[in-house]
C-alpha cells in the first residue's frame, strides 16, 4: 500500500476531524487576511471538504 493510499484511508476513517480542521484553518487564514478573501477562502474550504468526503464518514 502506497503512502497516498494510506493517507486516503486515514482521511476516510477520520472524516469529521478532517472537516473540522479544514474549517479551523479557513478561519485562521480569514482572520490573518483581515476578511479580505472570505468568499475565496470559504469556497476553497468547501471544495476541500467535498473532496475529502464532507462529513460522510464510512465504517
Amino acid at each position: 500500500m502506497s503512502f497516498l493510499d494510506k493517507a486516503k484511508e486515514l482521511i476516510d476513517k477520520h472524516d469529521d476531524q478532517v472537516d473540522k480542521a479544514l474549517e479551523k484553518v479557513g478561519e485562521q487564514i480569514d482572520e490573518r487576511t483581515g476578511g479580505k478573501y472570505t468568499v475565496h477562502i470559504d469556497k476553497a474550504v468547501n471544495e476541500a471538504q467535498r473532496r475529502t468526503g464532507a462529513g460522510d464518514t464510512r465504517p
Side-chain angles (χ1 to χ4, degrees):
M1 182 179 278
S2 74
F3 172 77
L4 188 55
D5 290 334
K6 288 180 184 179
K8 287 179 184 179
E9 185 177 307
L10 186 64
I11 288 170
D12 283 345
K13 286 182 180 179
H14 302 284
D15 195 50
D16 285 340
Q17 290 94 341
V18 171
D19 288 345
K20 288 177 187 176
L22 289 169
E23 281 289 331
K24 194 168 196 164
V25 167
E27 290 170 4
Q28 287 292 315
I29 294 169
D30 194 37
E31 184 179 308
R32 291 180 184 199
T33 60
K36 188 174 179 180
Y37 303 104
T38 300
V39 173
H40 301 290
I41 293 166
D42 288 346
K43 186 185 274 189
V45 167
N46 290 337
E47 181 63 19
Q49 288 176 330
R50 186 186 70 76
R51 289 178 182 242
T52 62
D56 67 342
T57 55
R58 300 176 207 155

